[in-house]
Amino acid sequence: MKQILFTCFMMVMCALLWTWQIEGNTQNIALERAKNAVNRAAHGASLQIDKLSLSNGKLVFDRTQALNAFTDILSKNMQLDSSLKALPDTLFQGQVQIVYEDYVDDSNVVARYGSGFDDGAKLYQYHSTDFNLEQLIYGPSVIYVIKVQKPLQINSSTDQFYYVGSIYEYPSY
Amino acid sequence: MKDVISLLIIMPFLLFFMFQPFHNEIVHLRGMAMEAVLDRGLERAAVKGYFTAAEIQNMKDTLSSVGFNKDEIEITGTIEGIAARVPRGGYIEGQIKYPINHLWAMPGIFKDTSETLYHVRSGTTMSEYLE
């Protein structure tokens, strides 16, 4: 009888520990995958440059194309539909939102920092108070932050979110 | 004597409960390692326009250095020899597949399902390769 009670107690304790462990691991995977997806999407967005401006020696991002590329690659990597809603039976749940979008390029760097990227090797401190973003950038960059619901297995509350951001420079600068 | 027999009966359960969390952690960490290796691989593939044979080998070497069996790692996608180099703006895809040999600790007692389960990690990135 003593052993049976002890085993039952162990089973309950272990079930609780496993639940906690699986919950933690799922959060871990979700955050890692979301970060990688945002990085790849921002990388794709950073390649969308305006060719007309480039022929004038200016590197300016094509905002519309960049956002399209970002959305497209994000949905491919996070298994979302075209409106950024998670597909059924996948890791993520609910709607993914792009909550922050910014571009630093030749069209606005002088207005922001007082000098252009062509004025010698310089570092620029990108700063945004909205999401506490802080990053040193060397060249034209795209900045995105997405908001994604935490894939909680146990807690049914749906108002817990990850804010995942990425600052990506134009690769060949 | 009675106590010894009852302890022997519950012993498999005790061992199972004791070791399963560590086993869960190993399965999870394998998945994380694959995620990291795929991400680095995709970054390099974006520069080259596809996964080069050397890069595939490098990815397998990295995984085998953390306990994966090299022969069981399956990498598919935009790979040299199978697909052409993707020019800038196109999509490069990659997928790593690895069998989860045991989902449960002590598979001899707690039988796994007959079908093989797999770790699958896949990703898509944009090529930055210029001809």
Side-chain angles (χ1 to χ4, degrees):
Chain A
M1 189 63 196
K2 201 170 68 184
Q3 273 86 355
I4 291 170
L5 279 175
F6 178 66
T7 312
C8 288
F9 175 73
M10 282 279 290
M11 280 168 80
V12 173
M13 282 305 291
C14 288
L16 281 172
L17 277 171
W18 290 358
T19 311
W20 172 75
Q21 184 186 34
I22 288 166
E23 184 76 28
N25 288 355
T26 311
Q27 302 307 313
N28 225 338
I29 293 168
L31 186 57
E32 179 84 4
R33 197 170 292 177
K35 178 61 183 155
N36 287 342
V38 172
N39 280 349
R40 285 173 207 150
H43 166 257
S46 75
L47 291 167
Q48 310 304 316
I49 48 173
D50 184 29
K51 290 191 174 111
L52 193 69
S53 303
L54 193 66
S55 63
N56 296 325
K58 297 283 176 205
L59 210 151
V60 178
F61 294 111
D62 185 329
R63 269 66 166 161
T64 320
Q65 267 191 42
L67 189 61
N68 285 345
F70 182 85
T71 313
D72 201 21
I73 300 171
L74 193 73
S75 55
K76 280 180 197 296
N77 281 294
M78 288 174 75
Q79 293 169 297
L80 313 172
D81 64 12
S82 54
S83 61
L84 295 185
K85 201 171 186 321
L87 294 172
D89 302 326
T90 56
L91 176 64
F92 294 100
Q93 298 154 7
Q95 181 76 39
V96 175
Q97 293 167 33
I98 300 170
V99 287
Y100 188 80
E101 178 195 357
D102 196 6
Y103 305 87
V104 181
D105 55 23
D106 283 331
S107 69
N108 58 15
V109 66
V110 178
R112 285 183 184 208
Y113 297 103
S115 64
F117 289 118
D118 300 334
D119 306 345
K122 278 206 183 102
L123 282 174
Y124 299 87
Q125 177 133 35
Y126 182 80
H127 176 72
S128 160
T129 44
D130 293 3
F131 292 97
N132 246 342
L133 295 171
E134 201 81 48
Q135 171 89 25
L136 286 173
I137 56 174
Y138 295 83
S141 305
V142 296
I143 301 100
Y144 290 97
V145 178
I146 63 159
K147 180 182 172 185
V148 56
Q149 199 177 306
K150 282 189 183 181
L152 297 166
Q153 309 292 309
I154 315 301
N155 188 345
S156 59
S157 155
T158 53
D159 57 354
Q160 295 191 40
F161 297 96
Y162 281 129
Y163 288 86
V164 190
S166 184
I167 300 181
Y168 222 97
E169 283 172 38
Y170 178 67
S172 310
Y173 201 73
Chain B
M1 191 61 195
K2 206 175 73 183
D3 280 355
V4 175
I5 293 168
S6 54
L7 187 66
L8 280 174
I9 293 169
I10 62 166
M11 187 57 92
F13 294 96
L14 288 178
L15 287 173
F16 175 71
F17 291 132
M18 203 180 286
F19 288 111
Q20 184 58 32
F22 299 102
H23 192 79
N24 284 347
E25 199 63 20
I26 290 167
V27 171
H28 166 65
L29 289 175
R30 284 201 161 168
M32 295 294 275
M34 286 167 65
E35 185 85 36
V37 166
L38 179 70
D39 192 52
R40 304 298 172 270
L42 275 168
E43 270 180 25
R44 292 193 196 103
V47 178
K48 301 276 183 192
Y50 54 26
F51 285 93
T52 59
E55 182 52 36
I56 297 286
Q57 196 53 44
N58 186 21
M59 287 163 78
K60 285 186 177 175
D61 288 345
T62 311
L63 285 174
S64 73
S65 71
V66 288
F68 284 72
N69 180 0
K70 211 184 268 188
D71 301 329
E72 287 180 306
I73 304 168
E74 225 179 279
I75 302 177
T76 51
T78 319
I79 294 174
E80 181 180 9
I82 299 168
R85 273 189 208 269
V86 179
R88 178 173 286 217
Y91 290 130
I92 297 170
E93 286 171 0
Q95 187 184 67
I96 309 185
K97 201 170 163 188
Y98 189 79
I100 306 172
N101 294 323
H102 308 299
L103 203 54
W104 301 103
M106 304 172 73
I109 298 172
F110 301 95
K111 279 275 184 219
D112 281 349
T113 50
S114 55
E115 57 182 311
T116 315
L117 296 167
Y118 289 92
H119 279 295
V120 180
R121 293 289 183 275
S122 53
T124 305
T125 194
M126 190 173 273
S127 171
E128 56 187 75
Y129 174 72
L130 285 171
E131 302 266 0

